[in-house]
Amino acid sequence: MRKSRQLSAKQMACLAVIVATGILVAVTCPSTRNWEPIGVPSMEPFSSSPGDTPYLTFPSVSSTTGTATTPFSFSVVYTNVDNTAPVYMYIYIDGQGYPMSQQDPADLQYLDGCVFMYITTLRPGCHWYSFSVCVGTTFFSTPIYYAPLVQDEPPTLTYCAVSPTAGDAGTTFTYSVMYTDLEGAEPVYVQAWINGQEYSMTKQDPLDMNFRDGCIYYVHVMTLSNGSCSYYFKMSDGYHVVTSETSRGPNLLASLTSGSVTPTSGNYTTLFTFEVTYVHKLDVPPMYVQVW
């Protein structure tokens, strides 16, 4: 049974007539007009009926879930009882058409079916797809299939480092980390946490906007507290908060500890004594010691 459908402006311009035939939708256009696939996949399923000359079967996608790096393989079997080759085969993903390739280009026996494929990665979100084929001047399309679901993958922090790895109170230390996001999202912030204190980090190359292959962030710090030092990095892309493992360093060769003043109170005639313990791991004497 044929079903009439509301035509879009583009279809009306092409004088298209949409006819439900089996599981397909046929759109017939004038042979005198150069036209492209209209891309109007059926919004409702159709039951298969005998007598269709060309038809599409076994529509599928290799995985119904994945991430932005997952290669999704879409495939469909094209069969034609007249052994007529298609003018072209398209897959429509979220309404955008892409040409498909025949799995075996040497297979010209369309009587028993030929597989057409298209492989791509997809952005995070819920997607839909349908298949379309042009045979002669007639365009056929499958119903819409809702898949795959592509999940957002958290960014990563790698190559966490501090340079130099040793120094003293006058040394400038550079903390750096590589931020990578496979979806290409720019971070909302990248921070270095050093001995419990937060430092905002700067992108090494301001012009580098390719976060898929990684961008280096850094911060320079001169004054570090005495004793054992530790640090970690923290970032957010607006959806995920990622924290690196805590690392030890740098190695402070010189340290000042046990600072004190005696007495702890007095008046303007009181003599106050300030003391501090200076330690250098290589027994290097200080150039000066000051009290502020």
Side-chain angles (χ1 to χ4, degrees), residues 18-80:
I18 301 180
V19 182
T21 58
I23 63 169
L24 307 175
V25 175
V27 180
T28 304
C29 294
S31 58
T32 57
R33 179 181 177 88
N34 293 326
W35 60 283
E36 298 177 352
I38 297 174
V40 284
S42 169
M43 294 301 292
E44 59 185 78
F46 292 89
S47 60
S48 180
S49 61
D52 293 335
T53 298
Y55 55 96
L56 303 175
T57 55
F58 303 106
S60 67
V61 61
S62 56
S63 178
T64 57
T65 60
T67 66
T69 60
T70 303
F72 293 97
S73 177
F74 297 86
S75 63
V76 69
V77 176
Y78 167 78
T79 306
N80 191 301

Side-chain angles (χ1 to χ4, degrees), residues 21 28 64 68 81 168 182 201 211 219 231 233 264 277:
T21 58
T28 304
T64 57
V81 297
D168 52 31
L182 297 179
M201 305 186 74
F211 299 101
V219 64
Y231 66 93
F233 300 99
T264 57
T277 300

